[in-house]
């Protein structure tokens, strides 16, 4: 395995770091409230970052999402790339790619996904979609939603259709989420119903959002380091206390574990190797270790960490949201165990 980024991937990460660093400031995030930073989204699309994902692959997207996570930038980048660009490029028909990809590349179309499928959507005899999904990230911004039916078939649903309702929902993190209600809408099947498309999109999403969690944790830890180095107690910096050093070191190792498992899953995906188990591993680390890191970041700020308006609290909210999204640690671990057992039985037969 070689996780060394290509020249194109490094360039995309550097561009993302500059844009997020310049524009996703505490003041702008405060002004955005729980909504999306529309101007930042326009800037990212004008710079060609969403479009670049098709060239830099899933590993490149993970690198870009790390930079988003460092600043907790409120834009639908992960959702649009995973459930829109990469899903359509990998599983759409030639006609769907020609029709849908241009808008997703330039940001005039925004995609999200009702994932993971939990049996809330079914197909009637006439082919219409019915059901609801309790919450979908970035639904309030989306023009298209990728929906999985009870049989794991994938459908593209336009949010502007009269039989589609998006009820605003506030989640732990400010992800412009909504409750999706389908009342007989005629969805467009993604591709030709290829088997394995749902599993591939879910594995891609888990890997991408693990990369986002790595960035959230890195940002939280960076803030904690700055605080403990500059804040003094009894005449010396907090960072000189052994307990603080150990807590920060544990958080650093957890962050690196999230990062490297996300890199491995993304690299295997780009190399067209089996990556479902690796995506589940990355998701488990993102859930379990991510939760530990953002709690440590808040605790290392002492009383300041309890301030809901402090930037570190935003990392805490994102970390807890990502802990549960696409399956919490226990769920993911069970799924991984079943997958490994199934693979072992197949190998023995």
């Amino acid at each position: 395995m070689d996780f060394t980024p290509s020249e194109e991937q490094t360039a995309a990460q550097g561009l993302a770091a500059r844009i997020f660093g310049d524009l996703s400031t505490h003041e702008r995030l405060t002004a955005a409230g729980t909504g999306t930073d529309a101007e930042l989204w326009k800037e990212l699309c004008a710079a060609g970052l969403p479009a670049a994902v098709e060239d830099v692959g899933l590993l490149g997207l993970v690198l870009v999402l790390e930079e988003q996570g460092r600043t907790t930038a409120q834009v639908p980048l992960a959702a649009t790339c995973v459930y829109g660009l990469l899903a359509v490029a990998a599983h759409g028909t030639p006609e769907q790619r020609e029709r849908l990809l241009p808008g997703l590349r330039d940001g005039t179309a925004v995609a999200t996904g009702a994932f993971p499928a939990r049996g809330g959507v079914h197909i009637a005899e006439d082919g219409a979609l019915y059901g609801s999904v309790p919450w979908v990230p970035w639904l309030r911004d989306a023009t298209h939603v990728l929906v999985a039916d009870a049989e794991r078939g994938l459908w593209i649903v336009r949010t502007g259709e009269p039989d589609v309702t998006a009820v605003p929902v506030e989640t732990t993190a400010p992800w412009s989420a909504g409750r999706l209600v389908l009342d007989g809408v005629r969805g467009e099947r993604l591709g030709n119903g290829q088997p394995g498309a749902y599993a591939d999109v879910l594995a891609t999403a888990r890997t991408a959002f693990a990369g986002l969690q790595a960035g959230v944790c890195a940002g939280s830890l960076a803030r904690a380091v700055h605080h403990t180095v500059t804040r003094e107690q009894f005449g010396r910096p907090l960072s000189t206390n052994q307990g603080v050093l150990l807590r920060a070191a544990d958080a650093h190792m957890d962050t690196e574990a999230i990062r490297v498992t996300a890199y491995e899953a993304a690299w295997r995906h780009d190399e067209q190797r089996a990556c479902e188990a690796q995506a589940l591993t990355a998701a488990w680390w993102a859930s379990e270790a991510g939760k530990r890191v953002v709690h440590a970041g808040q605790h290392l700020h002492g009383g300041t960490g309890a301030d809901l308006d402090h930037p570190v609290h935003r990392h805490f909210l994102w970390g807890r949201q990502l802990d549960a999204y696409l399956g919490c640690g226990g769920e993911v671990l069970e799924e991984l165990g079943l997958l490994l057992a199934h693979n072992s039985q197949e190998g023995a037969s």
Side-chain angles (χ1 to χ4, degrees), residues 31 70 114 145 150 166 175 266 316:
R70 290 179 199 275
V145 185
W175 284 5
F316 175 78

Side-chain angles (χ1 to χ4, degrees), residues 12-13 15-21 24-25 29 36-37 40-41 44 49-50 60-82 138 174-175 208-209 211-220 223 314-315 318 322:
Q13 183 182 27
L15 178 60
R18 180 178 63 79
I19 295 174
F20 287 129
S24 186
T25 62
L29 289 167
T36 297
D37 188 335
L40 175 55
W41 178 242
L44 290 170
L49 272 176
L61 175 59
V62 165
L63 294 171
V64 169
L65 292 177
E66 272 193 78
E67 301 306 326
Q68 179 186 358
R70 290 179 199 275
T71 60
T72 59
Q74 291 171 201
V75 288
L77 180 60
T80 292
C81 290
V82 168
W138 309 108
W175 284 5
F209 280 94
L212 185 61
Q213 180 75 302
V216 170
C217 291
S220 175
R223 291 187 181 280
R314 192 176 290 110
H315 289 269
W318 276 68
L322 286 162

Side-chain angles (χ1 to χ4, degrees), residues 193-210:
Q194 307 97 316
Y198 169 81
D200 178 67
V201 174
L202 181 57
T204 301
R206 281 172 165 158
T207 303
F209 280 94

